[in-house]
Each structure stands twice: as C-alpha cells, then as structure tokens.
Amino acid sequence: MAVKSNDTNLSELLKTVGNGKSTIEWIMERYAITTDNKSGIKNAPNLWSSGQDKPRYILDLLLSNIHVSLETQKVVATLPKLNF
C-alpha cells in the first residue's frame, strides 16, 4: 500500500486524535523498544515481526492507520454541522 503525503496531510494526521494521541504517536509508543525495570525483559516488536516472517509489520500497520485516518477525515469533512 502506498500513501502519498505532503506537509498538509501530515499536519492533518497529527490532528487525528484518539485517547489524547495522534495515530502516529500511538503506534510509536506501542511499538517502541522498551525494557521492564523489574524483570529486565526487553520488548522489541521488530524482533517479533522478523521472527514471524513479517519484517514490514510495523511499517504496514502505520501505513494502514495513516490511510484510515486520511479517509476518516474526508468523511468527517462532508458531515453537516450540528446545532445544539
């Protein structure tokens, strides 16, 4: 899947917020390499995806989320304003 982007698209993506974070921020946080302080266990999602023969898993996840975010923004832009 190819996502064509420019500065406008990227700034719009950062406005797409769920749970107080943009899609990109959420994925970066969830798929960051971390080490548990107590156990010393290292969580390295890239190692998991490579071991599953899916080395592009995180990239494909990010691209899919970007695509869905952009399409959602298009739909939301066509909705009528609500007057309360």
Side-chain angles (χ1 to χ4, degrees), residues 1-79:
M1 171 191 312
V3 175
K4 295 179 185 175
S5 64
N6 57 38
D7 292 339
T8 303
N9 289 345
L10 294 176
S11 66
E12 290 300 312
L13 276 177
L14 293 174
K15 292 179 189 174
T16 305
V17 176
N19 295 328
K21 296 180 182 166
S22 72
T23 301
I24 294 171
E25 289 172 311
W26 186 88
I27 290 174
M28 287 174 57
E29 180 182 284
R30 293 288 167 214
Y31 288 93
I33 297 172
T34 58
T35 303
D36 182 73
N37 290 334
K38 276 187 167 181
S39 67
I41 294 173
K42 185 176 181 180
N43 179 21
N46 287 323
L47 293 177
W48 175 86
S49 61
S50 294
Q52 300 296 313
D53 200 28
K54 296 178 182 181
R56 288 180 39 117
Y57 174 76
I58 297 171
L59 175 61
D60 290 339
L61 176 65
L62 180 59
L63 293 174
S64 294
N65 276 280
I66 289 170
H67 177 73
V68 169
S69 294
L70 291 173
E71 292 302 311
T72 300
Q73 288 174 10
K74 288 178 190 176
V75 171
V76 169
T78 66
L79 296 174

